[in-house]
Amino acid sequence: KESLLRALALAPELERTHYLLGVTYEHLEEWDAAIDEFRYLSLNHPEHASYQLILARLLEKTHAYDEAQALYRRIVETDNADPAILARYGKVLTKCHQWAEAGIAYERALDINTEYHKAHYALFLLYLRKGMVRSALREFIHSGMYAHSSLVVFILSTVFIAVVILALKVFFWHLN
């Protein structure tokens, strides 16, 4: 870190030094300093979208959701071809309690890649929060999470037991 600061003092316009310093601050978990470096890079080198993505991720990590949301919005307006970015944008919108916009972001991610499981799972949670159970179950199945969920095993086991009990009751009722 110290050698990068010295190099920056000698040549403050060097893009690579700012980048390396920002990454170093991030690894040291000096979030404010890392954000400052990537904010500088985003402003002075807007042609590199990766700087804006790193800045948005850092802002998200530090719970600066409003600023992260505005940055993600600009990114997806110019380049919406990446479902992972749209899903991260949806996550930030969810943190800002903007449910409808989050749903749109997740759906846009799925328009690009219908097999993007993270977007399906995020929509599952969003629909569940809104009480849209049928839509939530559809997204849960598409997410692939059902294969790993003990809740689903419990629900399916309970339904199976209930069906067996009902079948036995009907059987014994017909015997009487």
Side-chain angles (χ1 to χ4, degrees):
K1 171 176 126 178
E2 300 306 321
S3 59
L4 290 170
L5 288 170
R6 282 193 299 275
L8 205 55
L10 295 172
E13 74 285 345
L14 290 178
E15 174 184 354
R16 182 86 173 141
T17 307
H18 281 283
Y19 172 78
L20 291 172
L21 189 57
V23 170
T24 301
Y25 282 137
E26 182 179 5
H27 286 292
L28 294 172
E29 296 184 3
E30 296 180 22
W31 307 119
D32 291 338
I35 287 170
D36 288 344
E37 289 302 322
F38 283 103
R39 187 172 279 128
Y40 169 86
L41 287 166
S42 293
L43 292 172
N44 292 298
H45 302 282
E47 69 278 6
H48 296 293
S50 60
Y51 297 151
Q52 295 173 15
L53 286 171
I54 294 169
L55 177 59
R57 185 178 43 78
L58 288 169
L59 291 166
E60 185 181 344
K61 187 177 282 194
T62 59
H63 307 285
Y65 296 120
D66 290 333
E67 193 176 352
Q69 172 195 355
L71 191 51
Y72 276 124
R73 178 176 286 125
R74 283 196 306 266
I75 292 168
V76 299
E77 284 173 355
T78 58
D79 179 25
N80 62 2
D82 189 347
I85 295 170
L86 285 161
R88 289 194 77 92
Y89 179 46
K91 180 181 175 186
V92 169
L93 288 166
T94 301
K95 297 284 186 181
C96 294
H97 304 284
Q98 295 182 13
W99 317 118
E101 293 86 353
I104 292 168
Y106 294 132
E107 288 169 359
R108 284 177 59 196
L110 291 171
D111 286 343
I112 296 166
N113 180 355
T114 58
E115 299 300 315
Y116 193 63
H117 300 294
K118 288 181 180 182
H120 281 295
Y121 188 70
L123 273 175
F124 157 71
L125 295 174
L126 194 62
Y127 288 148
L128 202 58
R129 180 184 311 252
K130 293 166 100 179
M132 300 168 64
V133 177
R134 191 171 288 192
S135 297
L137 287 174
R138 183 187 70 238
E139 294 303 332
F140 187 71
I141 290 168
H142 286 299
S143 75
M145 295 301 289
Y146 66 90
H148 307 289
S149 174
S150 58
L151 174 64
V152 171
V153 172
F154 172 74
I155 290 171
L156 291 176
S157 302
T158 305
V159 168
F160 177 74
I161 291 169
V163 168
V164 169
I165 290 171
L166 182 63
L168 289 172
K169 282 185 177 181
V170 169
F171 176 75
F172 286 116
W173 181 72
H174 280 297
L175 288 178
N176 291 331

